[in-house]
Amino acid sequence: MGLLSEFLSVLESIYSESADWGEIQLEIAYYRSEQLPPSNLVSSVRGLVFREYEILVVEEAKDQFHVLPGGRCEGNESFKETARREILEETGWLVSDLKLFGFAHLRHTTPKPINYPYPYPDFIWLIYTAKAIEHQPSRMFTVEELADEYVIGSKFVDLHKAINLLSKRDQTLIATLKNAP
Protein backbone atom coordinates (compact mmCIF):
# COMPACT_ATOMS: atom_id res chain seq x y z
CA MET A 1 0.00 0.00 0.00
CA GLY A 2 1.40 3.41 -0.99
CA LEU A 3 1.83 6.32 1.39
CA LEU A 4 -1.20 8.19 -0.01
CA SER A 5 -3.42 5.09 0.04
CA GLU A 6 -2.40 4.40 3.61
CA PHE A 7 -3.08 8.02 4.61
CA LEU A 8 -6.53 8.01 2.96
CA SER A 9 -7.52 4.59 4.33
CA VAL A 10 -8.44 6.01 7.74
CA LEU A 11 -10.41 9.00 6.39
CA GLU A 12 -13.92 9.36 5.02
CA SER A 13 -14.64 11.68 2.12
CA ILE A 14 -17.16 14.45 2.83
CA TYR A 15 -17.87 15.11 -0.85
CA SER A 16 -16.80 13.74 -4.21
CA GLU A 17 -17.24 14.85 -7.79
CA SER A 18 -15.94 14.39 -11.31
CA ALA A 19 -14.34 17.26 -13.19
CA ASP A 20 -13.55 17.85 -16.83
CA TRP A 21 -10.64 20.25 -17.42
CA GLY A 22 -10.47 20.12 -21.19
CA GLU A 23 -8.56 16.97 -22.09
CA ILE A 24 -7.96 16.14 -18.42
CA GLN A 25 -10.65 14.34 -16.45
CA LEU A 26 -10.45 13.97 -12.71
CA GLU A 27 -12.17 12.34 -9.77
CA ILE A 28 -12.03 14.64 -6.75
CA ALA A 29 -12.69 13.71 -3.13
CA TYR A 30 -12.77 16.27 -0.32
CA TYR A 31 -11.68 15.40 3.21
CA ARG A 32 -11.86 17.13 6.56
CA SER A 33 -8.55 16.50 8.33
CA GLU A 34 -6.15 18.30 10.63
CA GLN A 35 -3.29 16.10 9.42
CA LEU A 36 -1.24 17.05 6.38
CA PRO A 37 -1.33 14.54 3.51
CA PRO A 38 1.98 13.60 1.84
CA SER A 39 3.52 17.01 1.05
CA ASN A 40 5.16 15.87 -2.20
CA LEU A 41 1.67 15.58 -3.74
CA VAL A 42 0.49 19.06 -2.74
CA SER A 43 0.20 21.12 -5.92
CA SER A 44 -1.81 24.05 -4.61
CA VAL A 45 -3.26 25.61 -1.50
CA ARG A 46 -6.72 27.12 -1.12
CA GLY A 47 -8.63 28.99 1.54
CA LEU A 48 -12.10 29.36 2.99
CA VAL A 49 -11.99 33.01 4.07
CA PHE A 50 -14.35 34.37 6.72
CA ARG A 51 -15.24 37.76 8.16
CA GLU A 52 -17.62 37.49 11.12
CA TYR A 53 -20.73 35.74 9.69
CA GLU A 54 -19.69 36.12 6.07
CA ILE A 55 -17.68 34.03 3.64
CA LEU A 56 -15.53 35.31 0.78
CA VAL A 57 -17.06 34.26 -2.53
CA VAL A 58 -15.03 34.37 -5.75
CA GLU A 59 -16.93 35.21 -8.91
CA GLU A 60 -15.98 33.53 -12.16
CA ALA A 61 -17.14 34.12 -15.69
CA LYS A 62 -20.74 33.22 -16.51
CA ASP A 63 -22.18 33.92 -13.03
CA GLN A 64 -20.40 31.04 -11.37
CA PHE A 65 -19.12 31.32 -7.81
CA HIS A 66 -16.82 29.37 -5.50
CA VAL A 67 -15.27 29.73 -2.05
CA LEU A 68 -11.78 28.31 -2.62
CA PRO A 69 -9.40 31.01 -3.87
CA GLY A 70 -5.86 29.74 -4.10
CA GLY A 71 -3.20 28.37 -6.36
CA ARG A 72 0.17 26.74 -6.83
CA CYS A 73 3.07 26.81 -4.42
CA GLU A 74 6.06 28.86 -5.57
CA GLY A 75 9.69 28.29 -4.64
CA ASN A 76 10.24 27.38 -1.02
CA GLU A 77 7.01 28.90 0.31
CA SER A 78 5.33 27.17 3.22
CA PHE A 79 1.77 26.05 2.58
CA LYS A 80 0.43 28.89 4.74
CA GLU A 81 2.58 31.43 2.85
CA THR A 82 1.13 30.11 -0.41
CA ALA A 83 -2.41 30.45 0.91
CA ARG A 84 -1.78 34.03 2.07
CA ARG A 85 -0.17 35.05 -1.23
CA GLU A 86 -2.75 33.39 -3.47
CA ILE A 87 -5.72 34.76 -1.54
CA LEU A 88 -4.19 38.25 -1.68
CA GLU A 89 -3.45 38.00 -5.41
CA GLU A 90 -6.92 36.72 -6.30
CA THR A 91 -9.08 38.71 -3.89
CA GLY A 92 -7.03 41.58 -2.45
CA TRP A 93 -7.55 40.33 1.11
CA LEU A 94 -4.83 39.89 3.72
CA VAL A 95 -5.66 36.96 5.99
CA SER A 96 -4.62 35.62 9.38
CA ASP A 97 -5.44 32.72 11.69
CA LEU A 98 -4.90 30.06 9.04
CA LYS A 99 -5.98 26.61 10.21
CA LEU A 100 -5.91 23.41 8.21
CA PHE A 101 -9.48 22.50 7.27
CA GLY A 102 -8.62 19.50 5.12
CA PHE A 103 -7.79 18.78 1.52
CA ALA A 104 -9.01 17.68 -1.87
CA HIS A 105 -7.55 14.54 -3.40
CA LEU A 106 -7.57 14.82 -7.18
CA ARG A 107 -6.96 11.73 -9.31
CA HIS A 108 -6.52 11.79 -13.07
CA THR A 109 -8.73 9.35 -14.95
CA THR A 110 -7.16 10.15 -18.33
CA PRO A 111 -3.64 9.44 -19.60
CA LYS A 112 -0.83 11.74 -18.51
CA PRO A 113 -0.53 14.67 -20.94
CA ILE A 114 2.80 15.07 -22.75
CA ASN A 115 5.24 17.28 -20.78
CA TYR A 116 2.84 17.43 -17.83
CA PRO A 117 4.87 19.04 -14.99
CA TYR A 118 2.55 18.23 -12.06
CA PRO A 119 2.10 15.16 -9.86
CA TYR A 120 0.36 12.32 -11.69
CA PRO A 121 -1.96 10.43 -11.29
CA ASP A 122 -2.71 11.87 -7.81
CA PHE A 123 -2.33 15.36 -6.41
CA ILE A 124 -3.60 17.33 -3.43
CA TRP A 125 -5.08 20.77 -2.79
CA LEU A 126 -4.71 21.79 0.83
CA ILE A 127 -7.63 23.78 2.20
CA TYR A 128 -7.21 26.22 5.08
CA THR A 129 -9.71 28.39 6.89
CA ALA A 130 -8.63 32.00 7.33
CA LYS A 131 -9.83 35.26 8.81
CA ALA A 132 -9.93 38.34 6.57
CA ILE A 133 -8.09 41.22 8.24
CA GLU A 134 -7.54 43.94 5.66
CA HIS A 135 -8.56 44.63 2.07
CA GLN A 136 -5.69 45.79 -0.13
CA PRO A 137 -7.10 45.85 -3.68
CA SER A 138 -3.91 47.45 -5.04
CA ARG A 139 -2.07 44.19 -4.26
CA MET A 140 -4.58 42.09 -6.17
CA PHE A 141 -3.62 40.78 -9.58
CA THR A 142 -5.55 42.11 -12.53
CA VAL A 143 -7.53 39.65 -14.63
CA GLU A 144 -4.70 39.76 -17.20
CA GLU A 145 -2.09 38.86 -14.56
CA LEU A 146 -4.02 36.01 -12.96
CA ALA A 147 -3.03 32.58 -14.15
CA ASP A 148 -6.72 31.69 -13.66
CA GLU A 149 -8.24 34.04 -16.23
CA TYR A 150 -11.76 33.15 -15.11
CA VAL A 151 -11.67 35.10 -11.83
CA ILE A 152 -13.71 38.29 -12.18
CA GLY A 153 -13.84 39.45 -8.57
CA SER A 154 -14.78 38.56 -5.03
CA LYS A 155 -17.11 39.71 -2.30
CA PHE A 156 -18.17 38.79 1.20
CA VAL A 157 -21.61 37.24 1.44
CA ASP A 158 -23.66 36.36 4.52
CA LEU A 159 -23.21 32.62 5.16
CA HIS A 160 -26.95 31.94 4.93
CA LYS A 161 -27.33 33.85 1.66
CA ALA A 162 -24.15 32.37 0.15
CA ILE A 163 -25.74 28.94 0.02
CA ASN A 164 -27.99 30.13 -2.82
CA LEU A 165 -24.96 31.07 -4.94
CA LEU A 166 -22.78 28.05 -4.33
CA SER A 167 -22.31 24.57 -5.72
CA LYS A 168 -23.22 21.48 -3.73
CA ARG A 169 -19.48 21.02 -3.07
CA ASP A 170 -19.09 24.44 -1.48
CA GLN A 171 -22.34 24.05 0.46
CA THR A 172 -20.99 20.77 1.86
CA LEU A 173 -17.64 22.30 2.83
CA ILE A 174 -19.38 25.13 4.70
CA ALA A 175 -21.84 22.78 6.40
CA THR A 176 -18.99 20.52 7.49
CA LEU A 177 -17.18 23.49 8.97
CA LYS A 178 -20.26 24.59 10.90
CA ASN A 179 -20.71 21.10 12.32
CA ALA A 180 -17.10 20.71 13.36
CA PRO A 181 -16.39 20.07 17.05
Side-chain angles (χ1 to χ4, degrees):
M1 178 180 284
L3 189 57
L4 179 61
S5 296
E6 187 176 318
F7 179 79
L8 294 173
S9 70
V10 296
L11 299 173
E12 186 175 331
S13 169
I14 59 172
Y15 188 77
S16 60
E17 62 185 347
S18 297
D20 186 357
W21 295 355
E23 295 179 14
I24 297 173
Q25 284 142 19
L26 301 160
E27 292 296 324
I28 308 171
Y30 295 84
Y31 295 87
R32 177 108 167 118
S33 175
E34 294 178 3
Q35 292 186 322
L36 283 172
S39 60
N40 64 314
L41 296 178
V42 175
S43 70
S44 71
V45 183
R46 307 197 171 268
L48 292 162
V49 181
F50 296 91
R51 181 177 71 182
E52 306 228 356
Y53 299 103
E54 298 176 310
I55 189 163
L56 186 61
V57 175
V58 176
E59 183 178 0
E60 298 178 355
K62 300 180 185 172
D63 292 326
Q64 293 182 356
F65 302 89
H66 69 86
V67 294
L68 292 174
R72 298 201 184 280
C73 302
E74 293 181 0
N76 291 324
E77 285 179 320
S78 71
F79 295 137
K80 286 183 177 183
E81 288 169 337
T82 298
R84 284 186 189 96
R85 177 185 52 77
E86 285 288 341
I87 292 166
L88 180 62
E89 288 174 356
E90 289 189 14
T91 69
W93 280 94
L94 288 173
V95 296
S96 67
D97 300 334
L98 278 88
K99 294 183 176 94
L100 186 61
F101 168 85
F103 62 93
H105 167 223
L106 296 90
R107 183 172 187 75
H108 290 86
T109 59
T110 49
K112 184 176 181 178
I114 296 171
N115 299 321
Y116 191 69
Y118 308 112
Y120 181 91
D122 299 285
F123 62 103
I124 301 289
W125 290 348
L126 290 182
I127 303 171
Y128 284 90
T129 59
K131 177 182 173 184
I133 55 173
E134 183 181 345
H135 195 223
Q136 296 187 350
S138 65
R139 296 189 56 196
M140 190 170 127
F141 277 178
T142 64
V143 172
E144 294 79 26
E145 293 171 316
L146 282 170
D148 179 358
E149 63 215 37
Y150 301 105
V151 173
I152 293 174
S154 63
K155 61 185 175 184
F156 276 95
V157 178
D158 177 273
L159 276 168
H160 296 99
K161 293 178 183 174
I163 297 302
N164 298 326
L165 294 173
L166 301 174
S167 69
K168 181 72 172 157
R169 175 202 69 189
D170 289 351
Q171 292 174 20
T172 302
L173 293 176
I174 292 168
T176 302
L177 183 64
K178 289 190 206 174
N179 296 330

